[in-house]
Amino acid sequence: MGWKLQLVKLAHKTLQKFGRGGSFPGEIALRLDPDFINKVQMPEIVIIVTGTNGKTTTSNLIADALRQAGLKVINNRRGDNLNVGIATLLAANVDSHYCVKADAAVIEVDELTVYRQFKALKPTHLVVNNFFRDQLDRAGEMETIIRKIQEVTEDFEGHIILNGDDPNVLRIADTAKKAMIHYFSVGENPVSRKETDEASEGKFCPHCGAPLVYSYYQYSHIGRFVCPNDGFGNITPYIKVTDVDYDRYEFTCEGRKFHSFMNTIYAVYNCAAVLSVMKTLGLDPSHADRTFRTFVLNEGRNEVFELSKPCVINLVKNPTGANEVMKYIVSQPGEKNICIFLNDNDQDGHDVSWIWDAHFERLDVPEVRKIFCSGLRAYDMALRLKYEGLEDRIEVIEDSAAAIHRLNTENLESYVIATYTALHPTRAILRKEAAKQ
C-alpha cells in the first residue's frame, strides 16, 4: 500500500476512533492525488443516485435493499455527495491495490457536480429522482444540470432509471440512446389533483414548447402528462405503483402489496425507484419490502427527538420541499407548534426569496398554535408568515438554543423546519434538550 493511501486510511481511522466523521480523509486523498477517484477499481455494481430532493433517502433505501439481498454494499449514508465526501467513502473501503472491497457501491452525487464524477465512478446504474429549482442565486441551474447530464450519458450503455412523472428528468432519455432506460411512475391516488397552484418548472414540452397536458398532478410539476403535439411524456413504465393507501402505509406494484416507510407521496416515489433498481438486477422485491418496513429516517429527514412531547425535524431547501414538509405537518392529528430556522450561508444560498414561492398559508389551520422563527434570517421568515395572516402566532427568537428550549416548554408536539446549514446545529441542540427530559 502506497504511503499516500496509508495516510488517508490512518486519518479516517483516527477520526472514527474519536467519533468524528466528515470528509477530511477525502480532502487529504484528493490533495495528495487529484486523480484518486479515477484510480479506484469499482465493484461490479455501481449505482449513482442524483436529483434535487430525496437523494439521500433513495440511495440509503437502495443500499439497504441490496444488503437485505445478501450483497456487501458501501454507500455515503450521510449524504456527503461532493468530491471529498465520495473520496472519503472510497478511501475507507479500498484495499492496497485500490480495489473496493464490496459487491456494490450506492453513491449519492450532487446533481450540480454529477457530470464531473460520472466517468470516474464507472457506474452501471444512474437513478434520477426529480429536478426542481433549488437555490435561486444559482441561476439557470436546472437547465445546466439537465444539459450536462445529457452530455455524460450520451454514450452510457448502462441502466438509467428515471422518474417518468417529471418532465425535466424525462429529457435525459432523449439523448441517452445507448442506455437501457427504465421509467418509474405513480398512479393517481388520494393526494393527486387535477389542477395545481404550486410553483413549478418544466410544464412545457422541451421539443415544441407547447403546454403539457396533465391528467393529474402529484405535487409541483410531478404527475402524469403528455404533449398533445408530439407525445412527449407518453411512456411505458418499467415500474408502476398503484392503489396507494396512506392510512395503511401500503401500495401495489406488479400485483403485490408493499409497505411504505412514510405515508407521503414522495416516499412512494422513493420506493418506486428502489423497486426499479431491484428489477434491473433480477433481485427478489421482497428484500426491498423488508427494507421499507424497517427503514428509519434520520439526519434531519423526519427524525424524531423525544422532548417534553415528540419533536420532528425536517430539512428544507427549496419551495417544493417546503410545501411537501408542510403538507405532512398539517396532515398529522392534534395541536402542534412549529419552529422554522432560515439561514442564508453559502450552502443554503444567499437569496432566500424562495420562501415567497412556498405555500406557507398551509400553516393557517387551528391546530398550528405557535410558529417560532429563528436562524440568520428569522425576521425575513416572520415577515413571510405575517403576509399569510399568521402574525398572532409568530414569535421571533434569534438564538437557536433559546428557540428550541421555548418550543420544549410549550409541552405540545412540535415540528422543526431547518435549512441546510441550520440542520446539524439544530439537531445537536435537540439532542441536548432531549437529554434533559
Side-chain angles (χ1 to χ4, degrees):
M1 185 185 297
W3 69 269
K4 294 179 181 179
L5 187 55
Q6 281 183 319
L7 180 61
V8 173
K9 283 185 168 291
L10 178 62
H12 185 261
K13 286 180 180 178
T14 302
L15 286 170
Q16 280 192 321
K17 185 177 180 181
F18 290 98
R20 302 289 297 274
S23 300
F24 184 60
E27 189 174 337
I28 296 174
L30 292 172
R31 283 182 181 273
L32 294 173
D33 184 358
D35 199 36
F36 169 74
I37 294 176
N38 197 47
K39 289 181 178 177
V40 173
Q41 297 178 51
M42 301 298 287
E44 185 177 346
I45 300 168
V46 180
I47 302 167
I48 289 178
V49 181
T50 196
T52 308
N53 291 339
K55 296 184 292 294
T56 301
T57 300
T58 301
S59 60
N60 288 341
L61 283 165
I62 293 169
D64 287 356
L66 297 186
R67 291 186 183 106
Q68 285 279 1
L71 278 65
K72 183 177 181 182
V73 183
I74 65 166
N75 77 302
N76 46 345
R77 195 161 196 88
R78 291 188 60 190
D80 299 321
N81 59 22
L82 298 175
N83 244 15
V84 290
I86 294 168
T88 298
L89 171 71
L90 298 178
N93 290 281
V94 295
D95 61 18
S96 58
H97 302 291
Y98 286 76
C99 182
V100 172
K101 298 174 289 185
D103 301 310
V106 181
I107 304 176
E108 174 192 337
V109 183
D110 182 82
E111 67 274 20
L112 275 174
T113 63
V114 66
Y115 71 96
R116 295 178 189 160
Q117 292 106 333
F118 192 81
K119 290 185 179 178
L121 291 173
K122 309 169 189 71
T124 57
H125 294 67
L126 172 65
V127 180
V128 186
N129 270 358
N130 48 60
F131 288 136
F132 298 106
R133 181 178 45 148
D134 206 355
Q135 298 169 13
L136 297 185
D137 46 356
R138 300 195 292 185
E141 66 170 63
M142 190 158 55
E143 197 60 37
T144 301
I145 290 166
I146 296 169
R147 188 177 69 252
K148 287 186 176 295
I149 293 179
Q150 285 179 322
E151 289 172 3
V152 296
T153 56
E154 192 172 9
D155 295 318
F156 181 56
E157 296 182 358
H159 298 273
I160 298 182
I161 295 166
L162 302 176
N163 182 346
D165 296 340
D166 185 335
N168 296 319
V169 170
L170 212 59
R171 290 171 56 185
I172 295 170
D174 287 344
T175 52
K177 300 299 184 184
K178 298 180 181 179
M180 291 167 276
I181 305 292
H182 313 285
Y183 303 111
F184 58 91
S185 178
V186 178
E188 198 165 0
N189 62 84
V191 305
S192 305
R193 297 290 179 265
K194 297 299 182 184
E195 304 289 339
T196 182
D197 58 357
E198 296 179 359
S200 55
E201 306 82 22
K203 291 199 292 184
F204 295 90
C205 178
H207 300 155
C208 69
L212 297 173
V213 176
Y214 278 75
S215 52
Y216 57 87
Y217 294 89
Q218 308 283 26
Y219 63 100
S220 189
H221 58 265
I222 307 297
R224 191 80 303 278
F225 60 88
V226 69
C227 174
N229 294 341
D230 55 34
F232 174 77
N234 188 14
I235 62 166
T236 301
Y238 182 66
I239 285 291
K240 177 71 178 285
V241 168
T242 60
D243 302 320
V244 179
D245 187 330
Y246 294 105
D247 293 332
R248 292 178 174 272
Y249 288 68
E250 287 181 348
F251 62 86
T252 299
C253 182
E254 297 192 331
R256 63 177 292 170
K257 292 280 187 184
F258 289 87
H259 186 82
S260 177
F261 62 97
M262 271 184 71
N263 60 344
T264 60
I265 184 62
Y266 49 89
V268 175
Y269 273 98
N270 294 152
C271 293
V274 177
L275 290 171
S276 300
V277 171
M278 299 295 280
K279 188 174 179 179
T280 65
L281 295 171
L283 296 174
D284 190 333
S286 64
H287 300 304
D289 194 39
R290 279 196 290 274
T291 295
F292 301 156
R293 290 176 181 275
T294 58
F295 189 74
V296 178
L297 287 162
N298 56 21
E299 298 289 332
R301 280 82 175 175
N302 242 58
E303 187 175 8
V304 180
F305 290 85
E306 295 298 334
L307 304 186
S308 58
K309 291 289 178 67
C311 176
V312 180
I313 185 171
N314 268 299
L315 167 70
V316 298
K317 56 179 183 171
N318 53 43
T320 299
N323 288 340
E324 292 309 301
V325 168
M326 287 187 286
K327 286 180 190 175
Y328 174 74
I329 291 172
V330 299
S331 73
Q332 302 307 297
E335 293 186 338
K336 64 210 72 173
N337 289 332
I338 299 170
C339 190
I340 304 175
F341 291 84
L342 179 64
N343 280 358
D344 64 346
N345 292 312
D346 287 345
Q347 290 169 295
D348 304 293
H350 296 296
D351 186 346
V352 298
S353 62
W354 63 266
I355 64 176
W356 294 89
D357 286 334
H359 286 244
F360 285 98
E361 73 275 9
R362 297 187 193 283
L363 302 181
D364 189 10
V365 295
E367 292 78 14
V368 174
R369 307 297 295 172
K370 293 183 179 179
I371 306 174
F372 302 101
C373 299
S374 192
L376 299 175
R377 301 293 288 271
Y379 286 95
D380 295 76
M381 192 68 248
L383 178 64
R384 174 70 186 90
L385 296 173
K386 182 179 179 180
Y387 270 84
E388 297 300 346
L390 294 162
E391 61 268 26
D392 58 331
R393 308 183 213 181
I394 301 168
E395 189 173 329
V396 176
I397 306 175
E398 294 181 72
D399 181 77
S400 300
I404 293 298
H405 180 70
R406 180 81 171 85
L407 192 69
N408 193 21
T409 59
E410 287 291 307
N411 202 35
L412 269 184
E413 290 192 7
S414 57
Y415 296 83
V416 171
I417 301 172
T419 52
Y420 190 81
T421 63
L423 182 67
H424 291 295
T426 305
R427 289 178 68 244
I429 295 167
L430 284 165
R431 279 196 297 270
K432 288 180 181 178
E433 194 72 20
K436 299 175 186 177
Q437 304 308 307

